[in-house]
């Protein structure tokens, strides 16, 4: 008997027929004697729709009321799924995040889970019930409903799995695993049987969108056995996300990702003295702006340098406000920003021991006539910011996928 956490995404519970299929899949596991906790998303389109409704009454709604609104989407699915399970004779109970004891900080619309109380979980599991929990939500110490950011149901599932030390955490979605590139962009991507947490983390935060980045972070920290698989073809094995040690040989390049939800900011003539960068990024952090690529140029005239960085598109104006408010105090020059950019990245745990990977990426982009505006590298990835116009971004992804022979992985 195993303790399994499953998560079903929006399309997997998109219709009542799909919800019945999910109930059947859950029943398959309970019949084998496993204990199950199931986190679910809102039905596909629901959260978007709620956001649209909010916009119709207020173009700048408070985070608290947004969370109050958005958390309702998941509440619909948990009740329907519990009813569907009851109908086929599987004892189940639906619980909201707060009922489940999911305590978060109070960063509305992007809260982080602080702890999960086990008392309710134990009680229901001991009573032989499948627990159906609303993903993406929790409760703050101030007793307010919070949500974890778009796509946050994955994080609910992984955090529960980590907290109760589940034997397995399965993320059911509308694709049958993690691919070397987005199948909507590339014609012949390969499915990966295994991927490391680090690679997945990069791909998740780079816009591959299979998993919520925070969920992979939590899985990595707590070593949660994680798999991504299809709720439409439940017989198919998905992709396992494992430790680097779990792989015999790391691939040089595992995937190519693009992220159009990015904007760049450049600050010119920043005085070259200790503490300036610290202050800029500390303020951005306090304002809850997620900063990604940071590039500082070499010092000019021994006095100033330029700092540029990227942020998610919807944080752009907020970030620019924060920077503007520092201008007088710090005495830097012009601040420029652009949101017509995208980030293209190649990821692979084997890159670190394989020279020439970055050069090959740059050559491939230049052969396509694509100009590189920013570059950043880590042990397992190379990212470039390019202009997002026409089919530039898709062209970049496809040519990199070809250049690194990613269609041939596992074949
Ligand atoms: N319903 C939320 C969203 O659409 C959370 C999730 O689906 O994971 O972002
Ligand atoms: Mg999702």
């Amino acid at each position: 008997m195993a303790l399994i956490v499953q998560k079903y995404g929006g399309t997997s519970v998109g219709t009542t027929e799909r919800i019945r299929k999910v109930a059947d899949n859950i029943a398959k596991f309970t019949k084998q004697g496993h204990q199950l906790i199931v986190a679910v998303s809102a039905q596909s389109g629901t959260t978007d729709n709620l956001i649209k409704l909010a916009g119709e009454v207020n173009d700048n709604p408070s985070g608290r009321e947004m969370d109050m609104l958005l958390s309702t989407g998941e509440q619909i699915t948990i009740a329907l799924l519990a009813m569907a399970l009851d109908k086929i004779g599987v004892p189940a109970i639906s619980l909201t995040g707060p009922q489940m004891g999911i305590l978060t900080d109070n960063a509305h619309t992007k809260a982080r889970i602080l702890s999960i109380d086990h008392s309710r979980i134990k009680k229901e599991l001991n009573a032989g019930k499948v627990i159906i929990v609303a993903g993406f939500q929790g409760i703050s110490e101030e007793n307010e409903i919070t949500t974890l950011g778009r796509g946050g149901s994955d994080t609910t599932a992984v955090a529960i799995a980590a907290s109760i030390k589940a034997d397995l955490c399965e993320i059911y979605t509308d694709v049958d695993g993690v691919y070397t590139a987005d199948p909507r962009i590339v014609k012949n991507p390969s499915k990966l049987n295994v991927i490391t947490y680090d690679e997945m983390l990069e791909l998740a935060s780079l816009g591959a969108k299979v998993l919520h980045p925070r969920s992979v972070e939590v899985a990595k920290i707590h070593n949660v056995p994680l798999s991504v698989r299809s709720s439409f073809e439940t017989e198919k094995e998905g992709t396992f996300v494992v430790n680097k040690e779990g792989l015999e040989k790391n691939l040089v390049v595992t995937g190519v990702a693009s992220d159009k939800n990015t904007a760049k900011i450049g600050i010119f003539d920043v005085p070259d003295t200790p503490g300036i960068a610290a202050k800029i990024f500390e303020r951005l952090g306090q304002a809850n702006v997620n900063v990604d690529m940071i590039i500082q140029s070499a010092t000019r005239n021994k006095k100033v340098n330029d700092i540029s960085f990227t942020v998610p598109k919807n944080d752009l104006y907020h970030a620019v406000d924060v920077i503007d408010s520092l201008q007088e105090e710090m005495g830097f020059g012009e601040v420029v920003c652009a949101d017509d950019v995208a980030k293209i990245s190649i990821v692979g745990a084997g890159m670190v021991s394989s020279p020439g990977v970055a050069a090959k990426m740059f050559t491939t982009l230049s052969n396509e006539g694509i100009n590189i505006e920013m570059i950043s590298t880590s042990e397992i990835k190379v990212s470039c910011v390019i202009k997002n116009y026409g089919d530039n971004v898709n062209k970049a992804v496809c040519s990199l996928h070809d250049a690194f022979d990613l269609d041939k992985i596992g074949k």
Side-chain angles (χ1 to χ4, degrees):
M1 186 189 80
L3 177 52
I4 303 172
V5 176
Q6 297 184 334
K7 180 258 172 176
Y8 294 89
T11 32
S12 303
V13 293
T15 62
T16 45
E17 196 203 328
R18 292 292 325 149
I19 289 177
R20 289 201 303 269
K21 287 259 159 48
V22 167
D24 290 341
N25 195 48
I26 292 172
K28 199 174 80 192
F29 283 85
T30 54
K31 277 195 194 113
Q32 293 164 358
H34 302 307
Q35 286 186 312
L36 253 70
I37 299 177
V38 178
V40 286
S41 287
Q43 293 183 284
S44 48
T46 302
T47 309
D48 289 335
N49 215 13
L50 292 169
I51 293 173
K52 191 169 145 268
L53 287 180
E56 286 171 18
V57 292
N58 187 334
D59 56 13
N60 190 19
S62 74
R64 181 194 184 274
E65 298 308 336
M66 267 326 262
D67 282 348
M68 187 63 88
L69 179 69
L70 296 191
S71 61
T72 62
E74 272 68 15
Q75 217 170 308
I76 297 173
T77 18
I78 54 169
L80 289 173
L81 182 54
M83 290 174 195
L85 283 163
D86 179 46
K87 177 76 185 163
I88 57 171
V90 179
I93 181 165
S94 65
L95 296 175
T96 64
Q99 284 178 310
M100 181 86 170
I102 300 180
L103 186 72
T104 73
D105 62 17
N106 60 3
H108 281 290
T109 75
K110 45 180 154 184
R112 282 185 168 232
I113 297 176
L114 299 176
S115 66
I116 298 176
D117 184 6
H118 290 188
S119 47
R120 189 74 192 258
I121 301 180
K122 284 214 178 96
K123 179 173 159 238
E124 304 301 349
L125 288 180
N126 287 341
K129 288 187 187 158
V130 173
I131 299 175
I132 312 291
V133 57
F136 170 63
Q137 56 178 260
I139 190 150
S140 69
E141 271 157 343
E142 290 81 26
N143 218 20
E144 302 286 4
I145 293 176
T146 53
T147 65
L148 310 180
R150 297 305 306 270
S153 298
D154 297 337
T155 302
T156 303
V158 175
I160 293 172
S163 161
I164 60 167
K165 302 202 167 38
D167 299 298
L168 178 63
C169 181
E170 296 185 308
I171 307 288
Y172 284 90
T173 176
D174 50 2
V175 289
D176 60 358
V178 180
Y179 280 78
T180 47
D182 186 339
R184 285 164 303 189
I185 301 178
V186 172
K187 268 204 283 338
N188 46 2
S190 309
K191 189 176 121 186
L192 298 160
N193 295 327
V194 280
I195 184 168
T196 68
Y197 291 122
D198 286 323
E199 289 169 328
M200 192 62 238
L201 196 55
E202 292 298 350
L203 290 171
S205 44
L206 294 173
K209 293 222 180 71
V210 202
L211 289 173
H212 192 230
R214 179 74 189 138
S215 72
V216 190
E217 247 171 62
V218 176
K220 179 182 147 109
I221 294 167
H222 300 278
N223 230 320
V224 176
L226 186 64
S227 92
V228 178
R229 55 191 300 180
S230 165
S231 67
F232 293 83
E233 298 169 288
T234 50
E235 67 297 340
K236 278 198 183 168
E237 290 257 347
T239 299
F240 277 91
V241 193
V242 299
N243 253 326
K244 200 170 169 190
E245 288 68 41
L247 289 184
E248 254 169 54
K249 187 175 173 293
N250 291 298
L251 292 169
V252 175
V253 177
T254 319
V256 187
S258 59
D259 187 3
K260 292 183 179 172
N261 179 23
T262 193
K264 64 168 191 178
I265 298 177
I267 313 173
F268 293 110
D269 300 328
V270 182
D272 191 22
T273 47
I276 294 270
K279 186 132 199 194
I280 293 175
F281 293 104
E282 188 182 79
R283 287 287 178 85
L284 287 166
Q286 283 161 355
N288 254 319
V289 174
N290 250 322
V291 175
D292 184 32
M293 289 164 90
I294 301 176
I295 291 165
Q296 180 180 301
S297 69
T299 311
R300 269 193 310 279
N301 309 327
K302 299 204 172 95
K303 275 205 320 253
V304 291
N305 56 41
D306 304 328
I307 295 180
S308 32
F309 56 94
T310 60
V311 296
K313 253 193 188 115
N314 44 3
D315 277 347
L316 177 60
Y317 292 105
H318 190 37
V320 171
D321 281 347
V322 173
I323 302 296
D324 281 346
S325 74
L326 291 170
Q327 191 153 22
E328 207 168 306
E329 174 187 345
M330 296 193 173
F332 46 71
E334 201 189 351
V335 177
V336 295
C337 65
D339 67 357
D340 59 343
V341 293
K343 187 172 59 172
I344 305 291
S345 312
I346 54 171
V347 174
M351 209 177 264
V352 59
S353 51
S354 176
V357 179
K360 187 164 174 179
M361 177 178 192
F362 306 151
T363 310
T364 308
L365 292 176
S366 99
N367 288 344
E368 294 291 335
I370 295 170
N371 186 40
I372 301 171
E373 301 196 357
M374 284 167 86
I375 297 171
S376 87
T377 61
S378 79
E379 276 199 353
I380 67 158
K381 92 170 171 187
V382 185
S383 300
C384 298
V385 169
I386 62 169
K387 272 258 160 350
N388 172 18
Y389 65 71
D391 64 347
N392 227 24
V393 175
N394 291 0
K395 207 164 71 182
V397 173
C398 292
S399 56
L400 288 167
H401 197 268
D402 268 357
F404 288 99
D405 287 328
L406 298 187
D407 55 324
K408 301 195 179 71
I409 287 182
K411 283 165 201 152

